[in-house]
Amino acid sequence: MAKKNSLATVPKNNQKLPSSEVLEQRRQLIVAEAVDASPRVMRVVVDMALGGDLEAAKLVLKVAGLDLSGGSRANVQNAI
């Protein structure tokens, strides 16, 4: 018996699952939307960081390529 909610199951109405080509097209659309939205998303995250949100600040610095793990100062110095 197939698992419920599995991508490998056939819906109860016996419709076929989308082909791998269709799934790839859908994935590419999602990626394109994410890329298009990323500047707006980052603007919100930066604003949150500037407002004192420590997790947002860590994310902004991580995206900027700064390693704040405390192990080495080289990455921070290189960024400056």
Side-chain angles (χ1 to χ4, degrees):
M1 183 173 207
K3 291 181 181 178
K4 188 176 183 181
N5 297 329
S6 170
L7 291 177
T9 62
V10 176
K12 287 184 178 184
N13 57 6
N14 291 326
Q15 291 180 348
K16 292 184 179 182
L17 291 172
S19 69
S20 59
E21 293 84 11
V22 170
L23 293 174
E24 178 59 21
Q25 288 174 345
R26 290 178 184 173
R27 187 193 69 78
Q28 288 178 9
L29 287 172
I30 292 168
V31 169
E33 285 185 43
V35 168
D36 289 344
S38 63
R40 293 187 310 269
V41 170
M42 282 309 301
R43 179 74 260 151
V44 170
V45 175
V46 168
D47 289 343
M48 291 170 63
L50 293 172
D53 185 322
L54 184 57
E55 292 302 313
K58 287 179 183 179
L59 177 60
V60 169
L61 296 173
K62 185 175 180 180
V63 168
L66 300 175
D67 178 13
L68 301 177
S69 64
S72 171
R73 300 177 112 189
N75 287 338
V76 174
Q77 290 173 347
N78 289 340
I80 296 172

